[in-house]
Short mmCIF file of all heavy atoms in Angstrom, two decimals:
data_model
loop_
_atom_site.label_atom_id
_atom_site.label_comp_id
_atom_site.label_asym_id
_atom_site.label_seq_id
_atom_site.Cartn_x
_atom_site.Cartn_y
_atom_site.Cartn_z
N GLY D 1 119.69 124.04 10.74
CA GLY D 1 118.33 123.65 10.37
C GLY D 1 118.07 123.64 8.88
O GLY D 1 117.47 122.70 8.34
N GLN D 2 118.52 124.68 8.18
CA GLN D 2 118.29 124.73 6.73
C GLN D 2 119.00 123.59 6.01
O GLN D 2 118.45 122.98 5.10
CB GLN D 2 118.74 126.08 6.19
CG GLN D 2 117.94 127.26 6.73
CD GLN D 2 118.42 128.58 6.17
OE1 GLN D 2 119.41 128.63 5.44
NE2 GLN D 2 117.74 129.66 6.51
N ALA D 3 120.25 123.32 6.41
CA ALA D 3 120.99 122.24 5.77
C ALA D 3 120.32 120.89 6.03
O ALA D 3 120.23 120.05 5.12
CB ALA D 3 122.43 122.21 6.29
N VAL D 4 119.82 120.67 7.25
CA VAL D 4 119.14 119.42 7.57
C VAL D 4 117.89 119.26 6.73
O VAL D 4 117.60 118.17 6.20
CB VAL D 4 118.82 119.36 9.07
CG1 VAL D 4 117.89 118.20 9.39
CG2 VAL D 4 120.09 119.24 9.89
N SER D 5 117.12 120.33 6.56
CA SER D 5 115.89 120.25 5.78
C SER D 5 116.19 119.92 4.32
O SER D 5 115.54 119.05 3.72
CB SER D 5 115.13 121.58 5.88
OG SER D 5 114.79 121.85 7.22
N ILE D 6 117.16 120.61 3.73
CA ILE D 6 117.45 120.40 2.31
C ILE D 6 118.04 119.02 2.07
O ILE D 6 117.58 118.26 1.21
CB ILE D 6 118.42 121.50 1.81
CG1 ILE D 6 117.74 122.87 1.88
CG2 ILE D 6 118.85 121.21 0.38
CD1 ILE D 6 118.66 124.02 1.57
N VAL D 7 119.06 118.65 2.85
CA VAL D 7 119.69 117.35 2.68
C VAL D 7 118.71 116.22 2.99
O VAL D 7 118.64 115.21 2.29
CB VAL D 7 120.95 117.25 3.56
CG1 VAL D 7 121.55 115.84 3.48
CG2 VAL D 7 121.99 118.28 3.11
N GLY D 8 117.92 116.39 4.06
CA GLY D 8 116.95 115.37 4.41
C GLY D 8 115.91 115.16 3.33
O GLY D 8 115.54 114.02 3.01
N ALA D 9 115.42 116.26 2.73
CA ALA D 9 114.44 116.14 1.66
C ALA D 9 115.03 115.42 0.45
O ALA D 9 114.38 114.56 -0.16
CB ALA D 9 113.93 117.52 1.27
N LEU D 10 116.25 115.79 0.08
CA LEU D 10 116.88 115.13 -1.07
C LEU D 10 117.12 113.64 -0.83
O LEU D 10 116.80 112.79 -1.67
CB LEU D 10 118.21 115.83 -1.39
CG LEU D 10 118.13 117.25 -1.94
CD1 LEU D 10 119.51 117.85 -2.06
CD2 LEU D 10 117.42 117.27 -3.28
N VAL D 11 117.65 113.32 0.34
CA VAL D 11 117.98 111.93 0.64
C VAL D 11 116.72 111.08 0.76
O VAL D 11 116.61 110.00 0.16
CB VAL D 11 118.83 111.84 1.92
CG1 VAL D 11 119.01 110.39 2.35
CG2 VAL D 11 120.18 112.50 1.70
N LEU D 12 115.75 111.56 1.53
CA LEU D 12 114.53 110.78 1.73
C LEU D 12 113.72 110.66 0.44
O LEU D 12 113.15 109.60 0.16
CB LEU D 12 113.68 111.42 2.83
CG LEU D 12 114.23 111.29 4.25
CD1 LEU D 12 113.33 112.02 5.24
CD2 LEU D 12 114.35 109.83 4.64
N GLY D 13 113.65 111.74 -0.34
CA GLY D 13 112.92 111.66 -1.60
C GLY D 13 113.55 110.68 -2.57
O GLY D 13 112.85 109.84 -3.17
N GLU D 14 114.86 110.75 -2.74
CA GLU D 14 115.56 109.83 -3.63
C GLU D 14 115.46 108.39 -3.13
O GLU D 14 115.25 107.45 -3.90
CB GLU D 14 117.01 110.25 -3.76
CG GLU D 14 117.84 109.40 -4.71
CD GLU D 14 117.39 109.55 -6.15
OE1 GLU D 14 116.75 110.56 -6.47
OE2 GLU D 14 117.67 108.64 -6.95
N SER D 15 115.58 108.21 -1.81
CA SER D 15 115.50 106.86 -1.25
C SER D 15 114.11 106.27 -1.42
O SER D 15 113.96 105.08 -1.73
CB SER D 15 115.87 106.89 0.24
OG SER D 15 117.19 107.38 0.43
N ALA D 16 113.06 107.10 -1.24
CA ALA D 16 111.70 106.60 -1.40
C ALA D 16 111.42 106.19 -2.84
O ALA D 16 110.74 105.18 -3.10
CB ALA D 16 110.71 107.68 -0.96
N VAL D 17 111.95 106.93 -3.80
CA VAL D 17 111.77 106.57 -5.21
C VAL D 17 112.54 105.30 -5.54
O VAL D 17 112.01 104.38 -6.21
CB VAL D 17 112.20 107.74 -6.12
CG1 VAL D 17 112.18 107.31 -7.58
CG2 VAL D 17 111.30 108.94 -5.91
N GLN D 18 113.77 105.20 -5.08
CA GLN D 18 114.58 104.02 -5.36
C GLN D 18 113.99 102.77 -4.71
O GLN D 18 114.07 101.67 -5.27
CB GLN D 18 116.02 104.23 -4.87
CG GLN D 18 116.80 105.29 -5.63
CD GLN D 18 117.03 104.92 -7.08
OE1 GLN D 18 117.13 103.74 -7.43
NE2 GLN D 18 117.11 105.92 -7.94
N ALA D 19 113.38 102.92 -3.56
CA ALA D 19 112.78 101.78 -2.88
C ALA D 19 111.42 101.40 -3.46
O ALA D 19 110.88 100.36 -3.08
CB ALA D 19 112.64 102.09 -1.39
N GLY D 20 110.89 102.21 -4.34
CA GLY D 20 109.60 101.90 -4.95
C GLY D 20 108.42 102.21 -4.07
O GLY D 20 107.31 101.73 -4.34
N ILE D 21 108.60 103.02 -3.04
CA ILE D 21 107.49 103.38 -2.17
C ILE D 21 106.60 104.43 -2.83
O ILE D 21 105.37 104.35 -2.76
CB ILE D 21 108.02 103.89 -0.82
CG1 ILE D 21 108.84 102.80 -0.13
CG2 ILE D 21 106.87 104.33 0.09
CD1 ILE D 21 109.48 103.24 1.16
N VAL D 22 107.20 105.42 -3.47
CA VAL D 22 106.46 106.46 -4.19
C VAL D 22 107.07 106.62 -5.58
O VAL D 22 108.20 106.17 -5.84
CB VAL D 22 106.50 107.81 -3.43
CG1 VAL D 22 105.83 107.68 -2.08
CG2 VAL D 22 107.92 108.29 -3.28
N GLY D 23 106.33 107.27 -6.45
CA GLY D 23 106.82 107.54 -7.79
C GLY D 23 107.56 108.86 -7.85
O GLY D 23 107.39 109.73 -6.98
N PRO D 24 108.36 109.07 -8.89
CA PRO D 24 109.10 110.34 -9.00
C PRO D 24 108.19 111.54 -9.20
O PRO D 24 108.56 112.66 -8.84
CB PRO D 24 110.02 110.11 -10.21
CG PRO D 24 109.37 109.02 -10.98
CD PRO D 24 108.67 108.15 -9.98
N ASN D 25 107.01 111.34 -9.79
CA ASN D 25 106.10 112.46 -10.00
C ASN D 25 105.63 113.05 -8.68
O ASN D 25 105.46 114.27 -8.56
CB ASN D 25 104.89 112.01 -10.82
CG ASN D 25 105.28 111.44 -12.17
OD1 ASN D 25 106.17 111.96 -12.83
ND2 ASN D 25 104.62 110.37 -12.59
N ILE D 26 105.41 112.20 -7.69
CA ILE D 26 104.97 112.68 -6.38
C ILE D 26 106.03 113.56 -5.75
O ILE D 26 105.73 114.58 -5.11
CB ILE D 26 104.63 111.49 -5.47
CG1 ILE D 26 103.44 110.71 -6.02
CG2 ILE D 26 104.34 111.97 -4.06
CD1 ILE D 26 102.16 111.48 -6.01
N VAL D 27 107.29 113.20 -5.92
CA VAL D 27 108.38 113.99 -5.35
C VAL D 27 108.39 115.39 -5.97
O VAL D 27 108.58 116.40 -5.26
CB VAL D 27 109.73 113.29 -5.56
CG1 VAL D 27 110.88 114.14 -5.03
CG2 VAL D 27 109.74 111.92 -4.88
N ILE D 28 108.17 115.47 -7.27
CA ILE D 28 108.14 116.78 -7.94
C ILE D 28 106.97 117.61 -7.43
O ILE D 28 107.11 118.81 -7.14
CB ILE D 28 108.06 116.58 -9.47
CG1 ILE D 28 109.31 115.87 -9.97
CG2 ILE D 28 107.88 117.92 -10.17
CD1 ILE D 28 109.25 115.51 -11.44
N VAL D 29 105.79 116.99 -7.31
CA VAL D 29 104.60 117.72 -6.86
C VAL D 29 104.79 118.23 -5.44
O VAL D 29 104.51 119.40 -5.13
CB VAL D 29 103.36 116.81 -6.97
CG1 VAL D 29 102.16 117.47 -6.29
CG2 VAL D 29 103.04 116.52 -8.42
N VAL D 30 105.28 117.37 -4.54
CA VAL D 30 105.46 117.76 -3.15
C VAL D 30 106.57 118.81 -3.03
O VAL D 30 106.46 119.75 -2.23
CB VAL D 30 105.78 116.53 -2.29
CG1 VAL D 30 106.14 116.94 -0.87
CG2 VAL D 30 104.59 115.59 -2.26
N ALA D 31 107.62 118.70 -3.82
CA ALA D 31 108.70 119.70 -3.78
C ALA D 31 108.19 121.07 -4.22
O ALA D 31 108.48 122.09 -3.57
CB ALA D 31 109.86 119.24 -4.66
N LEU D 32 107.43 121.10 -5.33
CA LEU D 32 106.87 122.37 -5.78
C LEU D 32 105.88 122.93 -4.77
O LEU D 32 105.83 124.15 -4.53
CB LEU D 32 106.19 122.18 -7.14
CG LEU D 32 105.60 123.42 -7.80
CD1 LEU D 32 106.65 124.50 -7.98
CD2 LEU D 32 104.96 123.08 -9.14
N THR D 33 105.11 122.06 -4.13
CA THR D 33 104.18 122.49 -3.09
C THR D 33 104.93 123.10 -1.91
O THR D 33 104.54 124.15 -1.38
CB THR D 33 103.34 121.30 -2.61
OG1 THR D 33 102.62 120.76 -3.72
CG2 THR D 33 102.36 121.73 -1.54
N ALA D 34 106.01 122.45 -1.49
CA ALA D 34 106.78 122.95 -0.34
C ALA D 34 107.45 124.28 -0.65
O ALA D 34 107.43 125.21 0.16
CB ALA D 34 107.81 121.91 0.06
N ILE D 35 108.07 124.38 -1.82
CA ILE D 35 108.76 125.62 -2.18
C ILE D 35 107.77 126.77 -2.31
O ILE D 35 108.05 127.90 -1.88
CB ILE D 35 109.55 125.41 -3.48
CG1 ILE D 35 110.68 124.40 -3.25
CG2 ILE D 35 110.13 126.73 -3.98
CD1 ILE D 35 111.40 123.99 -4.52
N SER D 36 106.60 126.51 -2.88
CA SER D 36 105.59 127.57 -3.02
C SER D 36 105.12 128.06 -1.65
O SER D 36 104.76 129.23 -1.50
CB SER D 36 104.40 127.05 -3.83
OG SER D 36 104.81 126.65 -5.13
N GLY D 37 105.11 127.18 -0.66
CA GLY D 37 104.68 127.59 0.67
C GLY D 37 105.60 128.60 1.32
O GLY D 37 105.17 129.35 2.21
N PHE D 38 106.86 128.65 0.89
CA PHE D 38 107.80 129.61 1.47
C PHE D 38 107.51 131.04 1.02
O PHE D 38 108.07 131.98 1.60
CB PHE D 38 109.23 129.24 1.09
CG PHE D 38 109.69 127.94 1.71
CD1 PHE D 38 110.40 127.02 0.97
CD2 PHE D 38 109.42 127.65 3.02
CE1 PHE D 38 110.83 125.82 1.52
CE2 PHE D 38 109.83 126.46 3.61
CZ PHE D 38 110.54 125.54 2.85
N LEU D 39 106.67 131.24 0.02
CA LEU D 39 106.32 132.59 -0.41
C LEU D 39 105.38 133.27 0.58
O LEU D 39 105.31 134.49 0.63
CB LEU D 39 105.67 132.56 -1.80
CG LEU D 39 106.57 132.10 -2.95
CD1 LEU D 39 105.78 132.04 -4.25
CD2 LEU D 39 107.76 133.03 -3.11
N THR D 40 104.64 132.49 1.35
CA THR D 40 103.73 133.03 2.35
C THR D 40 103.97 132.32 3.68
O THR D 40 103.14 131.53 4.14
CB THR D 40 102.27 132.85 1.91
OG1 THR D 40 102.06 131.46 1.57
CG2 THR D 40 101.95 133.71 0.72
N PRO D 41 105.12 132.55 4.33
CA PRO D 41 105.46 131.79 5.54
C PRO D 41 104.54 132.06 6.72
O PRO D 41 104.40 131.22 7.60
CB PRO D 41 106.90 132.24 5.84
CG PRO D 41 107.02 133.58 5.20
CD PRO D 41 106.15 133.53 3.97
N SER D 42 103.89 133.21 6.75
CA SER D 42 103.01 133.53 7.88
C SER D 42 101.71 132.76 7.84
O SER D 42 100.94 132.79 8.82
CB SER D 42 102.71 135.03 7.89
OG SER D 42 102.06 135.42 6.70
N LEU D 43 101.42 132.06 6.74
CA LEU D 43 100.16 131.33 6.60
C LEU D 43 100.37 129.82 6.63
O LEU D 43 99.55 129.08 6.09
CB LEU D 43 99.48 131.72 5.27
CG LEU D 43 99.09 133.19 5.11
CD1 LEU D 43 98.53 133.44 3.72
CD2 LEU D 43 98.09 133.60 6.17
#
């Protein structure tokens, strides 16, 4: 599960930027948001 989450996030994020669907700034914001959520997993 952990490997699928990490690899999937990297592949999909890079693919979305390369395809022009989203900008690279959004990927950084969402990544920081996701990582910060792991500090309080019960919430």
